């Protein structure tokens, strides 16, 4: 089974747009422990301080301090026209200016001097033209410098990060895929409209594959006042469909965030997955202590030290368990960028990362019933039959001597033609056969 990336989920109806900007992803960057209310209060306080500072500065600025003409960007033709106009106006002023009176000049002497002035170049006029040209060049250079400076401090999605820069210890920063897009949501979600009240915080949550743990499968936008159960209902995993088809679907599950198990016990048949773990922590303290010492002193020690600081063996977390439906995201204590755990269907586990947190924007969707919004969904591309190259594979074989590749994928028809005779007996048994899962 292969994967391709997509930011548009399937079976969706209505277009929704989202504001530009978003988190800058830096590998292995983890924030200190925080909460949604703490972040909300700090951001609102900063905005209020900024607004007060701007209002104070506005009262100090008089109308003469800023000129609209000074802020206008002139083209080269406009600058040249302005310069020539000033030069010609200066020439007209010089011509209209009365000549200095001189009683010694009379008759033909004055006429001869005029003819002489007409035939000679005016050094004052030439110096004025050169000065104006130099002034145009200086203005144009200043405009180019201002545009370069403005470009450095503006967000341009078309600009690429300079590839010549060497990445730091945590790798090169890059924008998340879901920072600028238009997507669709189901029309059923839009039948009921519940407005989002300000202030509100949006969290960007990432879900990773249960087997290929470095492959991200989903990104979601979650409201700070939503319960954890809303997020769980939006997480897609093929294991749920597999267990449902097998008649062994288990509604149980939990999130492990920091040192708290948030268990989903809404269904009467649900099992508390955290109970045997907590019993083992209480009843096997020596074994737990040894495993904890191994964790903090093993191969992950450097990463744990970079994230959590110096951790001693005695600082064993005190785990607890709370029902998921009773907790909202604004009740959590978490670290942005830290990896948490989502467990369902017995032992199917996913890494969960709260990547970013920001205030609700006016361009965000104002309907609370739409959230959590899936902003990225990994699409699965299934293998075709290696023999006919037409139908989707349903069987996969390993160590098969009659196949050109190992493993090899087959549809039902090609698998039967190659491995069984007309009586249904196998030609040979020296291979391993597995069902190729579609879901």
């Amino acid at each position: 089974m292969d994967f391709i990336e997509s930011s548009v989920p399937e079976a969706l109806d209505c277009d929704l747009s989202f504001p530009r900007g978003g988190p800058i992803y830096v590998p292995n960057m983890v924030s200190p422990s925080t909460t949604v209310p703490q972040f909300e209060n700090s951001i609102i306080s900063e905005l209020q301080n900024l607004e007060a500072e701007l209002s104070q500065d506005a009262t100090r600025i008089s109308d003469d301090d800023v000129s609209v003409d000074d802020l206008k960007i002139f083209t080269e033709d406009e600058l040249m026209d302005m310069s020539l106009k000033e030069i010609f106006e200066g020439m007209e002023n010089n011509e209209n200016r009365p000549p200095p009176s001189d009683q010694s000049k009379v008759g033909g002497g004055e006429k001869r001097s005029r003819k002489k002035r007409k035939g000679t170049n005016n050094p004052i006029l030439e110096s004025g033209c050169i000065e104006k040209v130099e002034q145009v060049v200086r203005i144009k250079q200043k405009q180019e410098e201002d545009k370069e400076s403005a470009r450095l401090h503006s967000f341009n999605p078309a600009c690429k990060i300079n590839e010549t820069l060497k990445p730091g210890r945590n790798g090169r920063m890059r924008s998340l895929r879901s920072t600028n897009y238009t997507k669709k949501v189901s029309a059923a979600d839009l039948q009921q409209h519940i407005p989002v009240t300000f202030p509100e915080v949006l969290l960007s949550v990432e879900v990773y594959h249960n087997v290929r743990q470095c492959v991200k499968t989903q990104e979601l936008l979650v409201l700070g006042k939503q319960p954890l159960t809303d997020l769980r209902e939006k997480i897609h995993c093929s294991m749920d469909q597999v267990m449902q088809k097998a008649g062994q679907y288990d509604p149980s599950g939990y999130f492990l965030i920091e040192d708290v198990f948030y268990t989903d016990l809404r269904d009467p048949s649900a099992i508390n997955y955290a109970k045997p773990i907590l019993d083992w922590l209480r009843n096997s303290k020596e074994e737990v202590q040894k495993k904890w010492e191994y964790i903090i002193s093993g191969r992950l020690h450097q990463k744990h030290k970079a994230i959590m600081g110096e951790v001693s063996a005695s600082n064993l977390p005190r785990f607890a368990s709370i029902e998921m439906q009773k907790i909202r995201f604004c009740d959590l204590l978490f670290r942005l960028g830290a990896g948490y755990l989502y467990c369902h269907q017995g032992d199917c586990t996913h890494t969960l990362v709260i990547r970013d947190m920001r205030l609700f924007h006016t361009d965000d969707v104002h309907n609370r019933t739409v959230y959590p919004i899936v902003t990225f969904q990994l699409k699965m591309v299934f293998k075709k039959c290696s023999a006919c190259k037409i139908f989707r594979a349903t069987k996969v074989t390993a160590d098969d001597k009659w196949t050109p590749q190992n493993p090899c994928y087959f549809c039902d028809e090609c698998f039967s033609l190659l491995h069984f005779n007309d009586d249904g007996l196998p030609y040979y048994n020296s291979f391993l056969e597995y069902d190729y899962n579609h879901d």
Side-chain angles (χ1 to χ4, degrees), residues 106-361:
V106 292
E110 185 178 356
K111 292 180 181 179
R112 285 193 298 270
S113 63
R114 284 182 182 175
K115 291 180 181 179
K116 187 175 180 181
R117 285 199 298 271
K118 282 185 179 180
T120 57
N121 295 329
N122 190 344
I124 300 177
L125 180 61
E126 291 180 355
S127 63
C129 291
I130 295 173
E131 182 180 354
K132 291 298 179 183
V133 171
E134 292 177 349
Q135 184 179 0
V136 170
V137 173
R138 288 196 298 270
I139 293 175
K140 192 61 183 175
Q141 290 176 347
K142 184 65 170 60
Q143 287 187 161
E144 293 297 329
E145 293 175 359
D146 291 342
K147 284 195 288 186
E148 287 295 328
S149 177
R151 189 177 292 114
L152 288 174
H153 297 282
S154 64
F155 172 74
N156 186 357
C159 293
K160 295 183 179 180
I161 298 176
N162 189 354
E163 300 293 341
T164 60
L165 295 177
K166 295 183 179 180
R169 179 175 58 86
N170 292 322
R172 182 165 62 87
M173 295 191 299
R174 58 184 184 273
S175 297
L176 292 183
R177 288 182 292 269
S178 61
T179 58
N180 181 20
Y181 55 86
T182 299
K183 68 172 290 294
K184 298 180 178 180
V185 294
S186 174
D189 294 335
L190 300 176
Q191 291 178 358
Q192 184 182 8
H193 181 82
I194 301 177
V196 177
T197 57
F198 187 83
E200 180 61 278
V201 173
L202 277 173
L203 296 93
S204 178
V205 182
E206 301 174 349
V207 183
Y208 288 80
H209 196 263
N210 57 338
V211 178
R212 301 183 184 182
Q213 298 181 358
C214 294
V215 176
K216 185 192 304 182
T217 58
Q218 283 181 293
E219 289 178 12
L220 306 99
L221 281 180
V222 187
L223 296 174
K225 295 183 176 66
Q226 282 191 291
L228 300 183
T229 50
D230 288 356
L231 173 63
R232 195 204 167 185
E233 291 170 356
K234 284 283 187 175
I235 295 178
H236 173 77
C237 178
S238 60
M239 186 61 69
D240 290 329
Q241 284 76 30
V242 170
M243 299 299 286
Q244 199 161 14
K245 284 188 176 182
Q248 300 178 4
Y249 180 79
D250 186 0
S252 310
Y254 68 80
F255 293 124
L256 176 58
I257 300 176
E258 294 300 319
D259 52 359
V260 180
F261 291 90
Y262 299 97
T263 57
D264 190 356
L265 301 177
R266 292 173 294 172
D267 193 289
S269 62
I271 303 171
N272 189 350
Y273 284 167
K275 187 176 183 305
I277 301 175
L278 295 174
D279 291 341
W280 174 74
L281 290 171
R282 283 192 298 265
N283 301 329
S284 307
K285 293 184 178 181
E286 292 184 2
E287 183 180 358
V288 171
Q289 192 71 26
K290 289 181 181 179
K291 288 185 178 294
W292 178 250
E293 291 175 358
Y294 172 77
I295 291 173
I296 64 172
S297 62
R299 62 184 181 87
L300 296 178
H301 174 66
Q302 296 299 326
K303 186 175 180 180
H304 278 249
K305 182 179 178 181
I307 295 174
M308 304 172 62
E310 292 290 345
V311 181
S312 63
S314 60
N315 291 335
L316 181 67
R318 296 183 178 181
F319 293 96
S321 176
I322 303 176
E323 292 185 17
M324 187 185 299
Q325 64 270 23
K326 297 180 180 179
I327 300 298
R328 301 175 299 172
F329 282 91
C330 57
D331 303 324
L332 296 177
L333 179 68
F334 59 90
R335 291 170 293 147
L336 292 175
Y340 298 119
L341 186 68
Y342 168 53
C343 179
H344 67 125
Q345 301 304 330
D347 58 353
C348 182
T349 58
H350 303 258
T351 299
L352 195 77
V353 179
I354 303 175
R355 180 63 62 191
D356 183 54
M357 183 166 48
R358 62 176 175 84
L359 281 181
F360 188 83
H361 194 273

Side-chain angles (χ1 to χ4, degrees), residues 401-416:
K401 63 180 181 180
W402 282 4
T403 58
Q405 55 193 23
N406 186 28
C408 194
Y409 299 87
F410 295 95
C411 62
D412 289 333
E413 185 69 20
C414 294
F415 180 78
S416 299

